[in-house]
């Protein structure tokens, strides 16, 4: 009989401990490149008599030379000489060499040995985590081995990893077979081997048959990320730093942190998909915390970063997400991850990128009965630009023709299979409307193909489409040109020409797979309106020119609403600083220009980062009731930093760089951060000017000098940023060429 006064057992305080594998699998699933079982130096074949067996007459290993210096054959042939690492780094599906010194001459007819490669815990031959490589043709494994040369006691072994082998850090042993058992070399961390993807090998899934593209998308450390507006493109230089010390280990740690099974790490599709989730912190404590609020008190402003190295090293050392990022930071760090592992990749910018909240191909803008934008009911947004990545790979999971460049995006926008990630999605599938193919092709298709639909909302809540703009979204897609500091327009890789028969066919195909479009075609207004493009520096007054054209043979009177707002680059409205309601009278078949004055004192106090002003003009033609609309983004140009480099530009010779900035504004700049770095010449350095005496008063200048010593020859670039709450996105860069 139960005790009526008994109380239910209380759960222990604190988080529950991790659930073990016990009862589900015989051994834990290996998901860490750091884990590793101790491999015995001697592995007996059976029971042995007391004492060690007599092994003196059998081969003994005196030395193992990994040929791992940058100038030696392995790193030269495998294009890994730029990695700042003392370890051997090779690429799969390509032979590398190891020199083994025995205690006597190797006799192939009687001596048996193997080079063993082990990765993760619980290594197994069938799973590819234990791989013995034999020197004879009679006995081979998926990793091919052969004796290249024998000289006295030294045997040069050629080893070719399988084209689909696991990517990561392997432990290497030399094993000699004796009648009593297997004798191995002692564990030596300096003999570990990193195996990467290989875009130079036809058998590898990432093979890219274009030397210029490989030089850019695998080996280039310096990049340009495009931002701004499609008709006022700005450049942001970035140091990817994929060869910097510690970055390769940080990239492997990201997969460890995701608890990605070791056995999946040879599949580039799975690696890219896991990484697209792990680069953001939304649901897995990934690398970067996104923040678009403008308040970066507890971290680094996204506009302040100059490269990926500091972010990745901070994450791998602290094991906690790094604050803060926005889309180009996510894309840049993701690019470093991909290139570091040998996956060809590039950062891509889509200008006027739709972020639709309804899952269709429409971006809805709601107008009231008079033609004024109803901001409360307009929830869809169009980003001025959005950055994502493309990586190059075959897609054996898709029909023939859909391999090649694939979109991957780590900016947390929408969930995919329950996690914030996107891709890989075939660019060819997106272009041809095959949005049923994995992964997330429909989402990317909408980002470049949505229509902007203006709806007129009546008082009873009903809405009627009054104008459809099919050309606004996905206006231009850019990436950096291979081998040059110029932009490359790749819009035609994502979509057919606007209005073409191919485009109509693609949109119809997308509709078959569930993407909804606005099919109505409201009559075109006989009054055209265009807002002229213009370049404006921050702090300037300027004039907004509205150019009207009356295409009818009758007089037209149009009542307009001119709205100017400060917006985030995501298209989200921050505050309205200008609102005017002019009436424009147009004579038959005539044009007219209306000028709206914009004063800096109205917008400066309300500016948010990236200084984007959004103007939307809507109105109704009095005689016909037709709606007239036009939109224009004005990107305010920021002042630049000046970088001056002095000293002999030579490896191991000390040099100096001086950064100068003059405050052009009428107000002081306080709590200023400056950062600087350069691929192969200067690690990331930063300085915080937070004292009262460090305030940069109006018209005053800031000068910062740093010494650096280049560690390798070749062209490179120093990149610097200045950042404070009152002024974001101030950049400077200086190209230089280091002599040997």
């Amino acid at each position: 009989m139960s005790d009526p006064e008994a109380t239910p057992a209380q759960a222990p305080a604190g988080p529950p401990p991790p659930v073990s594998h016990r009862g589900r699998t015989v051994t834990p699933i290996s998901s860490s490149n750091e884990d590793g079982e101790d491999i015995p130096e001697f592995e007996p074949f059976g029971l042995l008599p007391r004492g060690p067996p007599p092994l003196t007459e059998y081969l003994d290993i005196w030395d193992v030379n990994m040929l791992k210096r940058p100038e030696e054959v392995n790193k030269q042939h495998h294009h890994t000489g730029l990695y700042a690492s003392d370890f051997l780094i090779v690429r799969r599906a390509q032979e590398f060499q190891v020199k083994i010194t025995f205690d006597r001459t190797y006799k192939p007819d009687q001596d048996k040995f193997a080079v063993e490669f082990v990765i993760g815990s619980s290594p197994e031959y069938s799973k590819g985590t234990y791989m013995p490589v034999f020197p004879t043709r009679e006995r081979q494994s998926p990793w091919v081995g052969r004796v290249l040369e024998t000289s006295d006691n030294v045997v040069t072994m050629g080893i070719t990893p399988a084209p689909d082998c696991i990517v990561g850090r392997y432990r290497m042993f030399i094993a000699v077979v004796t009648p009593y058992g297997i004798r191995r070399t002692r564990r030596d961390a300096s003999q570990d081997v990193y195996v990467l993807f290989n875009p130079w090998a036809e058998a590898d899934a990432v093979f890219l048959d274009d030397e210029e593209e490989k030089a850019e998308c695998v080996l280039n450390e310096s990049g340009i990320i495009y931002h701004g507006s499609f008709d006022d493109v700005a450049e942001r230089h970035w140091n990817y730093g994929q060869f910097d010390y510690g970055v390769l280990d940080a990239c492997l740690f990201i997969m460890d942190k995701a608890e990605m099974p070791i056995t999946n790490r040879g599949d580039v599709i799975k690696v890219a998909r896991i990484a697209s989730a792990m680069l953001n912190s939304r649901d897995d404590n990934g690398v970067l915390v996104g923040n678009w609020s403008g308040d970066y008190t507890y971290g680094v402003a996204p506009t302040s970063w100059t490269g990926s190295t500091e972010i990745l090293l901070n994450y791998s050392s602290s094991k906690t997400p790094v604050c803060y990022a926005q889309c180009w930071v996510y894309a840049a760090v993701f690019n470093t991850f991909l290139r570091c592992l040998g996956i060809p990749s590039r950062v891509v910018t889509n200008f006027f990128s739709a972020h639709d909240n309804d899952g269709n191909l429409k971006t809805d803008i709601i107008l009231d009965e008079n033609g004024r934008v109803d901001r409360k009911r307009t929830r869809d947004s169009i980003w001025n630009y959005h950055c994502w990545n493309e990586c190059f790979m075959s897609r054996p999971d898709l029909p023939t023709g859909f391999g090649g460049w694939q979109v991957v995006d780590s900016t947390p926008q929408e969930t995919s299979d329950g996690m914030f990630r996107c891709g890989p999605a075939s660019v060819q599938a997106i272009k041809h409307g095959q949005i049923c193919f994995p992964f997330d092709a429909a989402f990317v298709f909408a980002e470049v193909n949505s229509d902007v639909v203006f709806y007129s909302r009546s008082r009873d809540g009903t809405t009627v489409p009054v104008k459809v703009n099919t050309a606004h979204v996905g206006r231009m897609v850019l990436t950096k040109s291979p081998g040059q500091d110029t932009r490359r327009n790749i819009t035609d890789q994502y979509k057919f020409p606007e209005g073409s028969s191919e485009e109509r066919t693609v949109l119809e195909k997308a509709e078959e797979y569930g993407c909804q479009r606005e099919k109505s075609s409201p009559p075109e207004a006989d009054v055209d309106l265009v807002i002229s493009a213009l370049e404006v520096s921050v702090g300037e007054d300027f004039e907004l020119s509205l150019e009207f054209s009356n295409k009818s043979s009758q007089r037209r009177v149009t009542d307009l609403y001119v709205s100017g707002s400060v917006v985030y680059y995501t298209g989200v409205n921050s505050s309205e600083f200008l609102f005017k309601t002019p009436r424009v009278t147009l004579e038959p078949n005539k044009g007219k220009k209306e000028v709206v004055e914009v004063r800096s004192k109205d917008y400066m106090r309300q500016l948010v980062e990236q200084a984007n002003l959004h103007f939307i003009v809507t109105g109704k033609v009095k005689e016909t009731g037709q709606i007239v609309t036009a939109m224009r983004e004005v990107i305010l140009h920021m002042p630049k930093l000046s970088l001056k480099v002095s000293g002999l530009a030579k490896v191991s010779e000390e040099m100096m760089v001086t950064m100068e900035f003059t405050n052009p504004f009428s107000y002081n700049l306080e709590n200023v951060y400056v950062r600087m770095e350069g691929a192969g010449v200067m690690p990331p350095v930063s300085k915080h000017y937070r004292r009262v005496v460090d305030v940069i008063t109006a018209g005053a200048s800031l000068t910062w000098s740093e010494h650096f010593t280049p560690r390798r020859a070749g062209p490179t670039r120093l990149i610097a940023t200045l950042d404070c709450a009152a002024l974001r996105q101030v950049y400077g860069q200086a190209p230089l060429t280091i002599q040997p």
Side-chain angles (χ1 to χ4, degrees):
M1 185 174 179
S2 61
D3 184 354
E5 296 184 4
T7 57
Q10 294 294 316
V19 178
S20 77
H21 71 281
R22 187 176 177 184
R24 185 166 182 262
T25 57
V26 176
T27 58
I29 295 174
S30 179
S31 61
S32 174
N33 211 158
E34 290 297 314
D35 294 342
E37 291 182 355
D38 291 333
I39 306 296
E41 290 183 45
F42 185 76
E43 191 174 339
F45 290 146
L47 294 175
L48 293 175
R50 288 189 175 183
L55 300 176
T56 52
E57 60 186 281
Y58 303 104
L59 275 183
D60 194 9
I61 300 96
W62 279 4
D63 182 57
V64 179
N65 183 354
M66 307 292 290
L67 303 173
K68 59 187 178 181
R69 291 198 295 270
E71 69 276 7
E72 291 184 303
V73 60
N74 285 331
K75 288 189 174 179
Q76 287 296 310
H77 287 180
H78 286 255
H79 306 91
T80 58
L82 293 175
Y83 284 89
S85 173
D86 294 330
F87 291 92
L88 176 59
I89 303 172
V90 297
R91 300 183 189 277
R92 62 190 194 176
Q94 183 175 338
E95 187 175 75
F96 66 94
Q97 299 178 21
V98 175
K99 286 184 181 291
I100 307 166
T101 303
F102 295 108
D103 62 336
R104 61 168 173 79
T105 302
Y106 167 61
K107 301 172 184 176
D109 55 338
Q110 66 182 62
D111 295 326
K112 295 181 180 180
F113 78 93
V115 184
E116 299 178 324
F117 295 89
V118 178
I119 187 169
S121 60
S122 307
E124 295 180 52
Y125 179 81
S126 62
K127 297 188 184 309
T129 53
Y130 165 71
M131 199 54 59
V133 183
F134 304 100
T136 59
R137 289 185 178 179
E138 292 74 26
R139 191 175 182 193
Q140 288 291 342
S141 71
W143 291 34
V144 178
R146 62 181 180 137
V147 174
L148 298 175
E149 183 184 3
T150 301
S151 177
D152 295 328
N153 297 0
V154 180
V155 173
T156 303
M157 182 91 168
I159 300 166
T160 306
D164 59 351
C165 75
I166 295 164
V167 166
R169 178 173 175 167
Y170 287 81
R171 307 185 297 285
M172 192 192 80
F173 303 90
I174 311 297
V176 176
V177 179
T178 74
Y180 305 100
I182 298 173
R183 177 166 62 183
R184 290 187 179 87
T185 50
R186 185 172 297 172
R187 166 84 171 108
D188 184 350
S190 68
Q191 294 177 3
D192 288 358
V193 180
Y194 291 85
V195 179
L196 309 179
F197 293 100
N198 191 354
W200 283 269
E202 285 191 45
D204 199 302
V206 301
F207 173 65
L208 176 57
D209 191 17
D210 187 320
E211 292 301 320
E212 195 177 34
E213 287 280 15
K214 279 185 290 211
E216 177 67 41
C217 297
V218 180
L219 300 179
N220 192 3
E221 292 179 274
S222 297
I224 299 174
I225 301 172
Y226 298 101
H227 63 110
S229 180
F230 88 99
D231 55 1
D232 188 10
V233 177
E235 297 178 351
R236 177 184 282 110
H237 288 269
W238 191 273
N239 176 30
Y240 296 123
Q242 67 265 34
F243 305 124
D244 285 352
Y245 180 80
V247 169
L248 177 53
D249 284 320
C251 294
L252 297 181
F253 169 73
I254 289 171
M255 292 190 283
D256 289 351
K257 183 78 170 178
E259 298 184 358
M260 182 182 189
I262 290 286
T263 52
N264 288 349
R265 299 189 190 185
D267 187 332
V268 64
I269 299 171
K270 292 178 180 177
V271 169
R273 186 148 173 80
I274 282 283
S276 74
M278 278 302 299
L279 264 294
N280 68 73
S281 66
R282 283 293 296 267
D283 38 29
D284 45 21
N285 285 320
V287 179
L288 284 158
V289 179
N291 187 346
W292 284 261
S293 70
D295 180 5
Y296 309 117
T297 306
Y298 298 101
V300 176
T303 47
S304 187
W305 298 113
T306 50
S308 306
T309 303
E310 185 179 358
I311 293 169
L312 287 168
L313 295 185
N314 282 352
Y315 181 68
S316 63
S317 61
S318 69
K319 312 288 192 290
T320 56
V322 178
C323 302
Y324 291 107
Q326 292 174 7
C327 73
W328 73 91
V329 182
Y330 284 115
V333 178
F334 200 176
N335 212 50
T336 301
F337 174 91
L338 294 166
R339 289 187 183 183
C340 185
L341 294 183
I343 304 169
S345 62
R346 58 194 186 189
V347 176
V348 166
T349 304
N350 177 36
F351 288 92
F352 291 142
S353 188
H355 187 183
D356 174 43
N357 288 304
D358 305 322
N360 54 33
L361 288 179
K362 299 184 293 182
T363 298
D364 306 332
I365 297 178
I366 311 300
L367 310 177
D368 64 18
E369 288 180 311
N370 298 316
R372 182 179 179 179
V373 175
D374 187 338
R375 297 195 180 277
K376 288 184 178 180
R377 292 183 171 86
T378 300
R379 296 184 176 89
D380 291 350
S381 64
I382 302 172
W383 296 35
N384 287 356
Y385 65 92
H386 178 50
C387 299
W388 59 65
N389 301 85
E390 287 180 2
C391 54
F392 197 90
M393 65 180 76
S394 63
R395 289 298 298 270
D397 58 322
L398 301 182
T400 303
F402 292 99
W405 291 109
Q406 312 286 315
V407 171
V408 284
D409 189 352
S410 58
T411 301
Q413 296 183 90
E414 302 290 341
T415 58
S416 171
D417 295 335
M419 300 184 75
F420 283 95
R421 58 183 166 189
C422 179
S426 166
V427 173
Q428 276 293 305
I430 293 162
K431 180 174 182 176
H432 290 89
Q434 299 285 358
I435 59 175
C436 59
F437 292 153
F439 299 88
D440 310 310
F443 181 78
V444 183
F445 184 87
E447 288 184 297
V448 295
N449 283 296
S450 285
D451 295 337
V452 180
V453 184
F454 292 85
Y455 290 91
S456 179
R457 185 179 188 274
S458 61
R459 293 181 182 179
D460 62 6
T462 57
T463 58
V464 178
V466 291
K467 185 174 181 180
V468 179
N469 187 336
T470 61
H472 185 73
V473 168
R475 187 72 64 90
M476 184 167 63
V477 184
L478 294 182
T479 190
K480 179 181 176 297
S481 298
Q484 303 175 47
D485 289 341
T486 56
R487 67 186 72 152
R488 178 182 179 186
N489 191 326
I490 57 171
T491 313
D492 62 344
Q493 295 183 21
Y494 281 84
K495 55 202 297 191
F496 289 100
E498 204 71 45
S500 64
S501 60
E502 294 93 341
E503 187 210 27
R504 286 194 298 273
T505 302
V506 165
L507 292 173
E508 289 168 3
K509 174 80 67 179
E511 281 189 282
E512 292 177 12
Y513 294 120
C515 275
Q516 299 176 7
R517 296 171 56 219
E518 180 56 57
K519 295 184 178 180
S520 61
S521 299
E524 287 288 324
D526 52 21
V527 174
D528 278 346
L529 168 60
V530 175
I531 306 176
S532 299
L534 67 169
E535 293 187 6
V536 183
S537 294
V538 65
E540 287 184 347
D541 297 342
F542 62 95
E543 293 181 342
L544 197 68
S545 178
L546 313 181
E547 298 178 2
F548 295 87
S549 174
N550 181 4
K551 296 182 292 184
S552 76
S553 57
Q554 298 177 345
R555 190 166 175 260
R556 292 287 185 253
V557 177
T558 305
D559 292 315
L560 298 173
Y561 295 93
V562 182
S563 172
S565 299
V566 171
V567 295
Y568 297 92
Y569 85 95
T570 56
V572 175
N573 187 67
S574 173
S575 57
E576 188 176 63
F577 68 89
L578 179 146
F579 183 73
K580 294 188 176 181
T581 56
R583 169 173 283 191
V584 177
T585 302
L586 300 171
E587 298 302 323
N589 297 308
K590 296 286 185 180
K592 187 175 185 180
K593 181 184 289 187
E594 188 82 10
V595 173
V596 177
E597 291 188 2
V598 181
R599 299 177 300 178
S600 62
K601 68 177 184 179
D602 294 332
Y603 67 75
M604 281 296 290
R605 287 172 296 178
Q606 303 177 58
L607 272 188
V608 294
E609 62 190 270
Q610 301 199 41
N612 294 331
L613 305 182
H614 177 69
F615 295 93
I616 181 166
V617 181
T618 59
K620 183 179 284 189
V621 179
K622 189 175 180 181
E623 291 79 7
T624 64
Q626 295 170 332
I627 296 294
V628 177
T629 67
M631 296 184 289
R632 168 66 61 187
E633 299 291 331
V634 175
I635 312 298
L636 300 177
H637 293 208
M638 292 296 178
K640 299 291 185 183
L641 296 177
S642 168
L643 293 184
K644 296 178 181 177
V645 181
S646 58
L648 182 62
K650 195 173 180 181
V651 172
S652 301
E653 293 284 343
E654 188 176 72
M655 301 179 68
M656 186 174 76
V657 58
T658 300
M659 186 200 81
E660 294 182 358
F661 173 76
T662 301
N663 180 4
F665 304 111
S666 58
Y667 51 83
N668 298 341
L669 300 178
E670 303 175 354
N671 212 23
V672 173
Y673 282 89
V674 286
R675 302 179 109 78
M676 193 160 22
E677 66 178 291
V681 292
M682 177 188 281
V685 291
S686 60
K687 192 170 183 179
H688 185 191
Y689 293 90
R690 55 186 173 187
R691 299 176 302 172
V692 175
V693 295
D694 293 331
V695 170
I696 309 175
T697 56
S701 296
L702 169 70
T703 302
W704 176 36
S705 296
E706 282 286 336
H707 290 86
F708 64 97
T709 304
R711 63 178 176 85
R712 67 165 182 259
T716 185
R717 189 181 304 273
L718 290 169
I719 305 167
T721 63
L722 179 145
D723 194 88
C724 64
L727 185 64
R728 307 268 188 215
Q729 203 154 265
V730 179
Y731 298 104
Q733 55 90 23
L736 66 157
T737 300
I738 306 299
Q739 301 300 324

